[in-house]
Amino acid sequence: MADSTVHGSYAGLLKIRGFPPLLATAFLGALNDNLYKIVVSLMAVNMGAASGDTHYLALAGALFVLPYLLFSGYAGWLADAFSKRTVLIVTKSFEIVAMLAAYAALASGNLDLMLAVIFLTALQAAFFSPAHYGILPELLPEKELSRANGLDELCIFLAIILGTVAGSTLYGLWQDRIQLVALVLLAVAVLGTLSSFGIGRVPAPATRRKFILFPWGEVYTGLKHLAANRPLKLTVLGITYFWFLGALLQLGVILFGKQALGLDDARAGLLQAAIAIGIGIGSAAAGRLSGDKVELGLVPLGSIGIGISSLLLAWSPPSFGLALASLILLGFSGGLFVVPLNANLQQRSPADERGRLLGTTNFLNMLGVALASGALWLFSDVLKLSADEMVLVIGLITFVVTLYVLYLLSDFVIRFSLWLLTHS
């Protein structure tokens, strides 16, 4: 049951019993996922360089997406059928099993087994996600949703940065004693599972709908319900666009760093970190600016910021500093864009099918990620665009999207702008 105590700040939010352990559980999960992925990616690069086989990195990306496409419907049903706290504890415990498998895979040096474990970690994350986001409206007062989402995203993107840095560092130190890295992964999984037991208790659903064996049955029903609810449909489309754009930029920035800026691997990695830092800060800012409500007026402002920062990035070469600043601004704008949409989806989703709609959203998000790979192929291989030209096109496309978002949310923008003027 949501706590009704008046809080109204991040400090107050952290005093709500059962919420900090949820943040810790999500943080440790994201940390472990990214630590393991970067270690396997580095091993794949080294083995590929030795053998001339370079398909492993692409396969790793596909194996991460696949569980979401196959099992998001089941994950949504599970989050609606049982107490979301129970689902979180059980799915988090599965991470220990996955990390035991990671230990065996890393110790064997078999890259195929390591990739199979990426599938297992993504499977665990796919089942964890609907319960993770769906529990927030049950655990917290409605007026805390925006702040909770802002803080949650900040923790996750901080974990992404730390996991990537830690994975690279540990691999550099222990590549000849890779079992030590596996022990760190296992320890983090155990800590995350222990923290999940501290998540606040929420009631189990009064009724449980029938389980559908067909893997996309729940997703199909979710899509029908979204199509009939225009505000929710537009919200989910906005979230999916964010994932598509994020995946496209993540892939494009690698090319941009190499082609347009001539960076080595270490400095090119800083470009990725800059986006994550920006999203984390922007998410926290979105939660703060939203106050006690879901502030959709931030969405078009975030979209404008994404467009402007994309143009700045395209024009930044040869300045590495300007590229970093542009990417931080881009990430910040992305945080402003997505946090209100996530909070709006949680707030507006009916309680008895919140898991289904969140699972359907995850399915669409991963379709967006897959489409981003297709878009990168179109831009680079078919249209023969350079990396800076591709970023420029992304910025221009975002401005077109912004015009539509402004049209849809003009009342929210005007109200939020007036609020800013009166409180500045």
Side-chain angles (χ1 to χ4, degrees), residues 86-97:
T86 301
V87 174
L88 291 173
I89 292 171
V90 172
T91 55
K92 192 64 184 173
S93 300
F94 181 73
E95 187 181 331
I96 297 177
V97 177

Side-chain angles (χ1 to χ4, degrees), residues 80-230:
D80 286 334
F82 300 93
S83 163
K84 292 177 179 61
R85 177 182 181 269
T86 301
V87 174
L88 291 173
I89 292 171
V90 172
T91 55
K92 192 64 184 173
S93 300
F94 181 73
E95 187 181 331
I96 297 177
V97 177
M99 289 304 104
L100 286 171
Y103 184 94
L106 289 171
S108 72
N110 187 317
L111 198 52
D112 291 327
L113 287 178
M114 296 178 209
L115 292 174
V117 174
I118 284 184
F119 181 87
L120 287 180
T121 60
L123 180 64
Q124 183 271 331
F127 276 90
F128 184 85
S129 180
H132 167 208
Y133 289 103
I135 200 173
L136 290 174
E138 299 179 16
L139 194 62
L140 304 169
E142 186 174 293
K143 67 187 184 64
E144 297 288 353
L145 269 183
S146 290
R147 274 184 288 269
N149 276 277
L151 197 55
D152 191 60
E153 293 298 314
L154 173 62
C155 287
I156 288 172
F157 280 96
L158 179 61
I160 290 171
I161 297 165
L162 291 176
T164 303
V165 172
S168 303
T169 303
L170 292 178
Y171 181 74
L173 291 172
W174 294 337
Q175 57 183 298
D176 296 328
R177 294 177 293 167
I178 202 68
Q179 293 94 329
L180 294 178
V181 176
L183 287 176
V184 171
L185 292 165
L186 184 58
V188 174
V190 170
L191 283 175
T193 301
L194 291 175
S195 69
S196 71
F197 284 92
I199 296 171
R201 295 184 180 276
V202 294
T207 58
R208 184 182 304 166
R209 64 175 175 268
K210 184 180 178 181
F211 176 74
I212 301 174
L213 185 60
F214 181 60
W216 298 285
E218 287 282 324
V219 171
Y220 176 70
T221 303
L223 289 172
K224 286 200 302 182
H225 290 188
L226 287 174
N229 187 322
R230 190 167 184 267

Side-chain angles (χ1 to χ4, degrees), residues 220-400:
Y220 176 70
T221 303
L223 289 172
K224 286 200 302 182
H225 290 188
L226 287 174
N229 187 322
R230 190 167 184 267
L232 274 181
K233 177 181 69 175
L234 293 173
T235 296
V236 171
L237 285 175
I239 295 170
T240 299
Y241 176 71
F242 171 82
W243 278 79
F244 164 79
L245 196 62
L248 182 57
L249 283 167
Q250 185 180 39
L251 296 169
V253 162
I254 296 171
L255 292 176
F256 184 85
K258 296 285 189 180
Q259 293 179 7
L261 296 175
L263 302 178
D264 57 25
D265 289 338
R267 296 177 77 198
L270 289 176
L271 297 180
Q272 299 279 358
I275 299 177
I277 290 168
I279 293 177
I281 298 171
S283 298
R288 183 174 180 82
L289 289 170
S290 294
D292 292 342
K293 59 185 179 300
V294 174
E295 184 49 82
L296 292 177
L298 290 169
V299 176
L301 298 181
S303 187
I304 292 170
I306 292 171
I308 291 173
S309 53
S310 297
L311 297 184
L312 288 174
L313 180 63
W315 297 328
S316 66
S319 172
F320 177 63
L322 180 56
L324 277 180
S326 300
L327 286 169
I328 290 173
L329 176 60
L330 194 155
F332 181 87
S333 302
L336 294 182
F337 181 87
V338 77
V339 164
L341 292 176
N342 282 335
N344 194 53
L345 176 60
Q346 294 159 15
Q347 183 186 57
R348 287 180 174 267
S349 296
D352 61 346
E353 66 165 349
R354 188 172 287 127
R356 170 193 279 157
L357 295 183
L358 288 168
T360 302
T361 302
N362 283 343
F363 176 85
L364 293 173
N365 290 345
M366 289 304 116
L367 281 183
V369 170
L371 285 173
S373 297
L376 181 68
W377 170 79
L378 174 66
F379 290 152
S380 61
D381 293 351
V382 178
L383 300 178
K384 304 297 183 183
L385 297 180
S386 64
D388 52 339
E389 290 172 337
M390 184 169 61
V391 172
L392 179 63
V393 169
I394 291 171
L396 294 175
I397 291 172
T398 301
F399 276 122
V400 174

Side-chain angles (χ1 to χ4, degrees), residues 10-46:
Y10 280 127
L13 181 61
L14 290 172
K15 294 177 182 177
I16 297 179
R17 186 177 180 183
F19 178 62
L22 176 65
L23 290 180
T25 303
F27 173 87
L28 291 168
L31 176 71
N32 231 17
D33 284 351
N34 285 276
L35 199 162
Y36 179 72
K37 278 192 293 184
I38 193 66
V39 167
V40 174
S41 296
L42 290 169
M43 293 185 76
V45 168
N46 289 342

